[in-house]
Amino acid sequence: MLLITAFLAGCSDKTANPTPTTTTAPVESVATSAPTPTPKPEGPQPGGTITYGFTQPFKGVFDPAWYGGEDDSLVLGFMADSFFKTGDDLKTYPNLAEWKESADHKVFTFSIKKGVKWHNGDELTVEDWKFALEVIASKEYTEAKGSRYSNVEMIQGVEEYRDGKAKEISGIKVIDPYTIEITVKEAAVNTLDNLWNYPMNKKYFTGVAIKDMPNSDQVRKNPIGLGPFKVKKIQPGEFVELVRNDDYWQGKPLLDGVVYKVVDGALATSLLEKGEIDIMQIPNSQYKDVEKLANVEIKKEPSLSFSYIGFKLGKWDKKNEKIVVDPKSKFADKKLRQAMYYSLDRQGLIDAFSNGLGVPVSVPMPTVSWAMVPTDQINNYAYDPDKAKKMLDEAGYKDINGDGMREDPQGKKLTINFDAMSGSEIAEPRAQAIIQMFREVGLDVKLNGGALKEMNTFYDLVENDDPSVELFMGAWIMASDPDPSGLWRSNDFWNFPRWFTPESEKLISEGIGEKAFDQNYRKQVYADWQKIVNEEVPMMYLNAPIDVNVINKRLQGVHTNSFGNQTDVHKWWVKQ
């Protein structure tokens, strides 16, 4: 109803006002010419509300420093703005801030735009940026499961501040309300790509302890930002209603508002056909059906994401904030992990469940990245169940009792729990197909708890290293820079397999060191790193999808790229 009502209101606003006339006497049989129709306006027009669809319930953490998944990030894409932006070429450009960089690449002086207003009317100053950096740098932040410490750890003085030895971060210097100087410990080629560049309204969070922020009203019920749309209403897990921010720093948005709505993925085609959803990234399984719709435009983009099946190889030590690899993990034997990789028909999965929209990958690097290692330099783990069986035999995983399922090398029963997310019509059959592939080589893999899990439940269990989680299927949307920091080091909470090696740590560090200003050098470092993870298989990388963005033809101005469809949403408009 919100969509239909707003659309009709937008049309009626364009109706011409009647011109007053003077009436004399009635006239019979007066021939008149047909009225001239009012021409429809061309080009961008203000007015109207659109509905943006997503197939999973959102968690409702609406602050850039605290959110964890795509479900919440899509809402933030309408309401939050950052100091920098990423171009289609994956390079970093000025947005709310411009900067000067010192000759030694260690000192950055940022100047932010003046007169930019938060949704509550407060003016943005660099104190809001400083506040955000201090929040993320604090111990309370990671204790509250904040996951972006890697975006501030390069700043000089962060450790002292974090350990309570300093009241300020020495590398942050406020020059005036619109100028801030940030000094980093070491020169790095990707400082601007990694540096946290979303502010937090310092006044708005007054009195809120850092540990309480993720569940505060400022984040959950009444979130504010700097973006083109303001949150009006949140119906948890169902929809978020956003309205135009008339004070937006890039000018008043054209749309009156946006409704972000959770929909059943299985009904995506029908909802798009009926016009109940104006834009969404559809499950690739529905591509052939959506392709037949006459009322939509389809934009396909190679994605920055990849899907995977991860092995739990250790635990997160919360006290010391680092990974502890478990040498007794069920998957400690690398040969088991490699054999399981050979048992997966990844191209078959892409064809059967994604309409062929994707390519198999064997490393955790987006195919659109310049740092992707050439496929002829790695093991691509082509589907080979016979090789998988042979490797399992050699590693001591044999069927001793003749039931068709293998025991472990000690002769004990081997069962493996598999976790995956619900959310689309293909989720269940795809999970069962994967399980069957493992069972065909003699591995007794079963759906953990007998059912798929809703996305937020799934990630809660994976993040907390629930003992029942052993093998888990997820996906990552990667950053524009290929630096694996944040996901693959020993102190990265989001390193869900809980895996690292000294050589991996060394290469990740070298990839952002001074020598890495030479891109050829950096590319080789990342190629060497990818070869390590390709050999060690902490994850079985499945595929890099082709994102399918479907847009109702009435919605104009949508620009898509490899990292989404929310570029310049203030320029979106509805064709009347």
Side-chain angles (χ1 to χ4, degrees), residues 69-199:
E70 184 183 11
D71 52 324
D72 291 339
S73 75
L74 292 172
V75 176
L76 291 168
F78 290 108
M79 58 169 286
D81 269 12
S82 56
F83 291 113
F84 322 144
K85 64 182 179 181
T86 302
D88 291 352
D89 58 2
L90 304 184
K91 294 181 180 179
T92 299
Y93 294 94
N95 195 38
L96 280 166
E98 296 180 340
W99 61 85
K100 293 180 181 178
E101 182 176 347
S102 65
D104 64 359
H105 308 293
K106 291 184 179 181
V107 182
F108 296 81
T109 304
F110 298 95
S111 299
I112 70 169
K113 293 185 180 296
K114 297 179 180 179
V116 177
K117 298 291 183 67
W118 289 92
H119 291 162
N120 68 346
D122 292 340
E123 184 181 7
L124 172 70
T125 73
V126 294
E127 290 290 348
D128 297 323
W129 194 358
K130 179 174 180 280
F131 177 64
L133 297 172
E134 290 172 342
V135 167
I136 296 173
S138 70
K139 242 185 208 316
E140 291 87 350
Y141 175 76
T142 46
E143 287 173 352
K145 297 184 180 178
S147 304
R148 292 175 173 87
Y149 179 68
S150 63
N151 297 114
V152 302
E153 65 180 348
M154 77 288 287
I155 302 174
Q156 190 178 85
V158 159
E159 286 90 349
E160 292 82 356
Y161 178 81
R162 184 176 178 79
D163 293 339
K165 298 177 181 177
K167 294 184 178 180
E168 300 273 336
I169 299 174
S170 61
I172 300 176
K173 182 180 179 182
V174 172
I175 307 299
D176 61 47
Y178 309 104
T179 311
I180 189 169
E181 183 182 276
I182 297 178
T183 303
V184 296
K185 292 177 283 189
E186 297 177 353
V189 66
N190 65 342
T191 295
L192 288 171
D193 298 308
N194 277 359
L195 179 65
W196 188 252
N197 71 104
Y198 282 92

Side-chain angles (χ1 to χ4, degrees), residues 85-93 299 301-304 368-370 479-481 558-568:
K85 64 182 179 181
T86 302
D88 291 352
D89 58 2
L90 304 184
K91 294 181 180 179
T92 299
Y93 294 94
K299 294 186 177 184
E301 297 282 356
S303 178
L304 271 177
V368 297
S369 174
W370 56 265
S480 57
D481 186 80
V558 177
H559 176 77
T560 62
N561 50 34
S562 61
F563 50 89
N565 55 25
Q566 290 180 291
T567 300
D568 292 335

Side-chain angles (χ1 to χ4, degrees), residues 48-69:
T49 297
I50 62 99
T51 302
Y52 190 108
F54 190 66
T55 60
Q56 294 278 359
F58 54 87
K59 201 164 187 175
V61 182
F62 298 133
D63 184 274
W66 292 103
Y67 85 92

Side-chain angles (χ1 to χ4, degrees), residues 525-546:
V525 168
Y526 287 145
D528 292 342
W529 177 78
Q530 290 170 77
K531 291 173 186 177
I532 289 176
V533 291
N534 175 255
E535 168 69 19
E536 293 295 323
V537 195
M539 285 180 173
M540 295 175 282
Y541 317 102
L542 299 179
N543 73 84
I546 302 296

Side-chain angles (χ1 to χ4, degrees), residues 478-489:
M478 307 302 288
S480 57
D481 186 80
D483 177 16
S485 299
L487 292 181
W488 287 106
R489 297 171 307 172

Side-chain angles (χ1 to χ4, degrees), residues 244-259:
R244 185 182 65 218
N245 174 17
D246 289 346
D247 296 322
Y248 184 50
W249 65 277
Q250 294 195 79
K252 185 185 294 186
L254 293 168
L255 293 175
D256 290 331
V258 175
V259 176

